[in-house]
Amino acid sequence: MLLEAVYHRPQLNWCYAYDHETVHLRLRAKKNDLSEVYAFAGDKYAWDSTKELVPMTKFISDALFDYWTCEVKPPFRRLKYGFLLKSGEDQIWMTESEFTKERPVIPDRLFELPYINPGDVFTVPDWVKDAVFYQIFPERFANGDPSNDPEGVLPWGGKPERDNFFGGDLQGVIDHLDHLSELGITAIYFTPLFEATTNHKYDTADYMRIDPHFGDIETIKKLVKACHEKGIRVLFDAVFNHSGKTFAPFVDALEKGEQSRYKDWFHIREFPLEVKDGIPSYDTFGFEPLMPKLNTRNPEVKEYLIKVAEFWIKEVGIDGWRLDVANEVDHDFWRDFRKVVKNANPEAYILGEIWHESSPWLQGDKFDAVMNYPFTEAVLDFVVRGKLDALGFANAIGQQISRYPLQASEVAFNLLDSHDTPRLLTLCEGNKNKMKLAATFLFTYNGTPCIYYGDEVGLDGGPDPDCRKCMEWDPQKQDRDLFAFYQNLIAMRKELAPLRTGSIHFLLAEKNGSRLAYERRLDDERVLVLLNNYDAGQTLELTTDTPIWRDALSGKTREAVNGKLSVRLPAYGYAVLTEAK
């Protein structure tokens, strides 16, 4: 046993309360080093009568490590525990302070979870586990009310630029909700709706006012009501890291300088507020002068922004917030933000925009989830860029699963493209089969999947601003085959519970190859997913004790022969199989 590779901490994703009575324990070990692992657990005040050996299972692996897990239900919400590690005939005990050949006699030196305090349990909104999101960039989705068009609006469908407008608005969304319902969408994430000068609206001028080019508060109330009637939740985008240059407090600081009562609302290095050699004299998002960074440590700023978050939930009934540039805002702000938002709506979904490993924000005191760009990159590296073989992809996914508590993974916001990236069809160089293969993984993986508006009808586009094209509403120009594909994927995900909250186990992940198979399991229900990431047909063979499987997408049945299931997949093909009843 390579003990140097064995790792556990009594906190974070290694030891946590999954609910008010269940503790999840995890342990890391060198890949393929341990044959068995047990948790040795009990109550510290009743050790002799409660201690037990709990078998752990290898739930995922990455390139270097195996990750073992088990769940324990402490009878009195307290837990003392160590581990028994086995490799063939060898075994050793692990305590908080040492590895030892002898079983611990008393629990004093074991790891400890002192008490499952209900207030400390990381609770996420259950509805997100079943949701299918659709991201809308409002200025480019649909122009439903030409009377509120900005000056110089261009004809719908023109070439998107960083500073042009096409008149998309909230009424346009209302007019096309049936499109989303037909597709199967159950949640919308809107990029910012508040008053701003740009087409993307990430330079907020007034956090309490819907941009007049989109509509007004009555329009958004009408939209949210219409969405809820169709079973669609609504997520707003909050830009609390920075405001826009036309935000009234910043205008005041710009005009009055050191005499402004709002000067401490921002991070100002020197007066006057100006830009020298491309660097503003005040902190900004990047070095963008139009986006001054807000001082969220200032009590007035904090109170103002948190009241904004509370207002739109209470007044309009939105179902949560997506938080822009969330990792550049101080942690105390997000802790108070969560308390107020969850008090206003305990089922509100709090989603942070963070592009990297996000453990500090996913401990139950800040966000429910983050935009899962590491997932995005792993899928693209496998399917699109060819940087990962099937084994490397499985390892990348395993690493991600190991990083977070299960409840965070169950509501992770999984996406393949967005307003910040090239569109999926363009990344696939127009190859719809590759696009479908990537989407199949998206919809058969845990977390909530998100479709970027227009992907379902074949909208393409390179990097910003080209990825922000006008939605195509002419049925003759829509790819209806692609629409039907996404429609079927969504229906299948809704039908098969293991695809939403089941465990994942890789059955085949080919080294230096492109064949991938994994099982999603929930209780006694199993789903097999088979992928062929190759430009020619290939056969995947799996061992199974189930004689007949049904393809959830095509309806065809596949029969195992002598315990072997053999499935031929076409180039960039896929199959999602359920046990035939």
Side-chain angles (χ1 to χ4, degrees), residues 472-497:
E472 182 57 71
W473 291 113
D474 182 349
Q476 300 303 314
K477 297 181 180 179
Q478 292 182 340
D479 188 325
R480 299 307 294 181
D481 169 73
L482 207 51
F483 181 90
F485 165 77
Y486 275 103
Q487 194 177 42
N488 290 336
L489 268 188
I490 292 171
M492 176 190 68
R493 183 178 175 86
K494 290 179 179 178
E495 178 190 354
L496 302 177

Side-chain angles (χ1 to χ4, degrees), residues 40 45 77 97 129 163 169 260 267 429 495 556-557:
F40 186 41
Y45 298 121
R77 296 190 184 178
S97 57
K129 300 173 187 177
D163 56 358
D169 52 33
S260 172
H267 296 273
E429 298 180 325
E495 178 190 354
K556 296 179 181 179
T557 57

Side-chain angles (χ1 to χ4, degrees), residues 195-356:
E195 183 178 7
T197 65
T198 59
N199 55 37
H200 55 71
K201 309 301 178 188
Y202 280 98
D203 58 322
T204 312
D206 189 342
Y207 291 87
M208 299 300 289
R209 187 186 187 204
I210 297 294
D211 193 288
H213 296 144
F214 290 162
D216 57 23
I217 192 168
E218 295 308 316
T219 319
I220 192 62
K221 284 182 177 180
K222 178 182 175 183
L223 171 55
V224 171
K225 182 174 184 291
C227 285
H228 287 171
E229 288 173 351
K230 290 180 176 291
I232 298 174
R233 310 268 185 160
V234 176
L235 202 68
F236 272 17
D237 203 326
V239 191
F240 290 168
N241 173 69
H242 55 271
S243 70
K245 198 172 182 179
T246 56
F247 181 48
F250 188 75
V251 172
D252 191 86
L254 198 62
E255 293 175 350
K256 299 177 182 177
E258 294 190 70
Q259 305 308 311
S260 172
R261 70 172 297 271
Y262 294 105
K263 66 179 181 179
D264 292 330
W265 278 46
F266 306 93
H267 296 273
I268 298 171
R269 293 191 298 278
E270 63 180 1
F271 292 95
L273 301 183
E274 59 184 353
V275 179
K276 293 181 179 179
D277 300 322
I279 307 295
S281 61
Y282 49 94
D283 289 351
T284 61
F285 169 65
F287 295 106
E288 175 51 66
L290 292 176
M291 299 178 178
K293 183 174 175 63
L294 290 160
N295 178 12
T296 49
R297 291 291 293 170
N298 181 307
E300 289 184 349
V301 175
K302 190 175 194 176
E303 181 182 15
Y304 170 77
L305 294 177
I306 289 179
K307 281 185 176 180
V308 166
E310 182 181 47
F311 172 82
W312 291 102
I313 287 178
K314 287 186 173 181
E315 183 68 20
V316 177
I318 66 170
D319 301 286
W321 289 98
R322 182 266 192 185
L323 307 168
D324 190 58
V325 202
N327 55 340
E328 295 187 21
V329 177
D330 66 273
H331 288 261
D332 277 348
F333 177 86
W334 292 132
R335 290 188 183 97
D336 289 343
F337 173 90
R338 182 180 182 88
K339 291 174 184 176
V340 171
V341 166
K342 293 292 186 177
N343 185 60
N345 177 7
E347 286 295 299
Y349 182 42
I350 302 177
L351 171 66
E353 185 208 16
I354 300 177
W355 289 57
H356 303 283

